[in-house]
């Protein structure tokens, strides 16, 4: 009997999404009063254009984004058919306090800090090619369509995917002392791999994939 039943497998891959409710606006004096209050609220001051970013606590983490159910091969070369199911969705994020900065400016600075964007790029306008994606707070997670068509020999095959996430705290200081602080996160590398449940693996995300998909106690699920 398999160590992971169909029900357990489905539960392990369930992704819970919290959906924020949208409150509808109704007519009446109360709604008009709220609208007037919003219109009279002071605008948030913008940060200067020539400020200096300082980053602390910047770290990278490889995160598993998807894994397939194990696929028996009987030691033969097979075409993989089991889809990669999503277990995590990476999302760029920028949080700020103080004079307003655009998310693109913050991610541009983080990209230079980690080497994703050329350190010689002085402004957002100097960025081109794939590095533009890193400055986009709406960047979508990688597609999880099956990545492999044929594999040979392993008794049970598991496909998996992941990303390399970066995050850190920043301080943006303007001449004159005005400061914006915050935290930013984004992902860079689209990782992918395939493992055999019967063989040891050498990466954390492969081991996590094995623990979700392979039988408990399998070699791939154990630390080397």
């Amino acid at each position: 009997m398999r160590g992971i039943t169909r029900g357990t497998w489905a539960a392990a891959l369930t992704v819970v999404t919290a959906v924020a409710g949208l409150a509808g606006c109704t007519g009446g004096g109360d709604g008009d009063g709220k609208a007037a209050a919003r219109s009279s609220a002071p605008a948030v001051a913008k940060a200067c254009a020539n400020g200096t970013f300082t980053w602390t606590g910047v770290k990278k983490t490889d995160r598993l984004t998807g894994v397939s159910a194990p696929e028996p091969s009987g030691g033969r070369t097979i075409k993989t058919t089991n889809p990669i199911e999503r277990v995590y969705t990476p999302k760029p994020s920028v949080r700020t306090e103080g004079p307003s900065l655009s998310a693109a400016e913050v991610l541009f600075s983080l990209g230079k800090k980690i080497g994703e964007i050329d350190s010689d790029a002085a402004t957002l306008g100097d960025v081109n090619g794939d590095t533009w994606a890193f400055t986009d707070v709406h960047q979508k997670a990688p597609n999880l369509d099956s990545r492999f068509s044929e594999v040979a020999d392993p008794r049970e095959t598991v496909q998996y995917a992941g990303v390399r996430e970066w995050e850190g705290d920043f301080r943006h200081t303007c001449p004159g002392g005005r400061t914006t602080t915050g935290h930013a996160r984004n992902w860079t590398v689209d990782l992918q791999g395939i493992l055999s449940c019967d063989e040891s693996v050498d990466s954390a995300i492969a081991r996590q994939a094995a623990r979700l998909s392979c039988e408990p106690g399998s070699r791939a699920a154990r630390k080397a």
Side-chain angles (χ1 to χ4, degrees), residues 13-33:
L13 295 178
T14 298
V15 179
V16 179
T17 303
V19 180
L22 298 179
C25 227
T26 59
D30 185 60
D32 293 343

Side-chain angles (χ1 to χ4, degrees), residues 12-219:
L13 295 178
T14 298
V15 179
V16 179
T17 303
V19 180
L22 298 179
C25 227
T26 59
D30 185 60
D32 293 343
K34 289 179 180 178
R38 286 195 297 268
S39 64
S40 62
V44 177
K46 290 186 177 181
C48 63
N50 60 339
T52 301
F53 277 94
T54 303
W55 289 89
T56 57
V58 176
K59 63 179 181 179
K60 64 178 178 180
T61 306
D62 290 346
R63 295 192 182 276
L64 181 73
T65 57
V67 62
S68 74
E71 193 157 1
S73 71
R76 305 185 308 276
T77 298
I78 64 168
K79 289 188 176 181
T80 57
T81 58
N82 287 344
I84 297 177
E85 304 287 350
R86 187 173 294 282
V87 296
Y88 174 73
T89 302
K91 293 181 180 179
S93 172
V94 175
R95 184 180 70 252
T96 64
E97 293 183 10
S100 67
L101 283 168
S102 72
E105 289 178 271
V106 176
L107 293 176
F108 174 70
S109 176
L110 177 58
K112 292 177 67 174
K113 174 70 176 178
I114 66 175
E116 178 70 7
I117 295 174
D118 192 335
S119 59
D120 293 332
T123 67
L124 276 168
D126 296 331
V127 182
N128 54 56
D130 293 339
T131 51
W132 270 113
F134 191 81
T135 66
D136 182 6
V137 75
H138 303 295
Q139 180 182 195
K140 293 183 178 180
N143 192 297
L144 292 185
D145 289 341
S146 294
R147 313 298 181 93
F148 301 91
S149 58
E150 291 188 353
V151 293
D153 292 338
R155 296 177 185 175
E156 284 198 316
T157 295
V158 172
Q159 297 181 71
Y160 62 91
V163 295
R164 179 159 295 160
E165 275 193 342
W166 295 84
E167 63 181 315
D169 299 313
F170 71 86
R171 177 179 294 272
H172 179 267
T173 306
C174 292
R178 289 200 307 169
T179 299
T180 301
T181 60
H183 185 88
R185 180 183 70 240
N186 206 349
W187 59 272
T188 53
V189 183
D190 180 7
L191 306 168
Q192 55 185 293
I194 191 165
L195 62 88
S196 167
C197 292
D198 303 304
E199 298 177 0
S200 297
V201 296
D202 58 4
S203 75
I205 63 170
R207 192 173 302 111
Q208 184 182 353
R211 287 172 178 170
L212 281 175
S213 189
C214 301
E215 292 184 0
S218 66
R219 290 188 65 185

